[in-house]
Amino acid sequence: MKFFVDTAEINDIKELAATGLLDGVTTNPSLIAKSGRDFLEVTKEICGIVDGPVSAEVIALDHEGMMREAEILRKIADNVCIKVPLTIDGLKTCKALTGDGTKVNVTLCFSANQALLAAKAGASFISPFIGRHDDNGFDGLELIRDIRLIYDNYNYATEILAASIRHGVHVLECARIGADVMTAPPAVIKGLVKHVLTDKGIEGFMADWAKTGQSL
Ligand code: E4P
């Protein structure tokens, strides 16, 4: 499963990229606002840190506006992936952009039927939002399961990018189901390495090593 980080914070992206575990980055207007940075400037900087796709979301809600903004965004770097909302205008934009080789991430997906439409529009990625779906009394992981089944039924090449991930159980279940990618906040990704028995084991080994009086 590919790991994308869901942030526009440069230091977090650099730290995770240095581990070699990072396959891409996703941003959205809220994350750009949180970073306090200029949209085009911060996106360019992120694209220089990771080789994989960096999702940058259009702001326009109409097809013509989305196409105009996509033109600006895709000039930033070769690894920019245009993010469009799951609306008729978003799907129309997706079809037009992927038709000429641009990567497109269709976002804000909350139903398997929406995911089916995105695949038919040629989306490179579909982003079902697990956490927000859970928050509203639905089963976010069930959504990932349904999309996996449908995409496999028809051999759609669209990658399932599990988004709005809140904790390690979401990551584990997405991997079990076979989501192609997951995007999570830096703290969730860093938290995956933690285990109390790992820490305890290191502590024990260090204490015993000290008793040997040796050094390496
Ligand atoms: C994905 O691309 C979105 O930016 C993100 O996963 C949304 O997550 P949230 O529900 O935690 O805001």
Side-chain angles (χ1 to χ4, degrees):
M1 183 164 65
K2 290 179 218 165
F3 274 31
F4 290 1
V5 65
D6 197 29
T7 188
E9 301 299 329
I10 296 294
N11 287 343
D12 285 327
I13 296 169
K14 280 188 178 159
E15 188 187 351
L16 285 165
T19 65
L21 298 171
L22 200 59
D23 302 296
V25 177
T26 50
T27 67
N28 62 39
S30 306
L31 294 171
I32 297 293
K34 199 172 158 201
S35 78
R37 298 273 313 270
D38 174 80
F39 182 23
L40 300 183
E41 209 177 271
V42 77
T43 305
K44 191 178 170 76
E45 198 171 339
I46 297 169
C47 288
I49 301 169
V50 293
D51 294 331
V54 175
S55 289
E57 190 161 343
V58 295
I59 314 302
L61 297 177
D62 64 297
H63 172 63
E64 287 72 26
M66 287 181 191
M67 289 301 288
R68 192 186 55 78
E69 291 176 358
E71 204 43 48
I72 298 169
L73 295 173
R74 67 179 171 181
K75 279 195 192 123
I76 294 176
D78 288 344
N79 54 337
V80 165
C81 174
I82 307 298
K83 208 174 181 188
V84 299
L86 216 157
T87 60
I88 286 292
D89 286 74
L91 293 172
K92 201 171 154 187
T93 304
C94 173
K95 189 89 186 165
L97 292 174
T98 53
D100 70 8
T102 302
K103 273 194 186 305
V104 177
N105 175 358
V106 179
T107 191
L108 289 166
C109 169
F110 293 93
S111 83
N113 276 339
Q114 289 181 320
L116 180 55
L117 294 176
K120 285 181 70 63
S124 319
F125 301 101
I126 180 69
S127 289
F129 279 34
I130 300 175
R132 293 193 198 187
H133 212 38
D134 290 351
D135 292 345
N136 283 277
F138 298 96
D139 185 344
L141 290 167
E142 195 57 36
L143 175 60
I144 305 294
R145 248 175 240 115
D146 283 346
I147 300 172
R148 180 75 282 156
L149 178 75
I150 291 166
Y151 281 11
D152 288 350
N153 280 349
Y154 298 98
N155 282 324
Y156 283 124
T158 302
E159 293 188 60
I160 302 174
L161 198 177
S164 189
I165 290 219
R166 302 274 163 81
H167 45 68
V169 175
H170 279 159
V171 178
L172 175 66
E173 290 304 318
C174 283
R176 280 197 172 129
I177 294 164
D180 302 285
V181 192
M182 74 92 198
T183 189
V188 172
I189 298 181
K190 287 184 220 163
L192 297 176
V193 81
K194 295 302 284 179
H195 196 289
V196 64
L197 293 179
T198 304
D199 294 343
K200 208 173 154 193
I202 291 172
E203 207 181 294
F205 289 155
M206 289 306 101
D208 290 339
W209 176 251
K211 288 179 206 155
T212 69
Q214 298 177 45
S215 64
L216 203 60

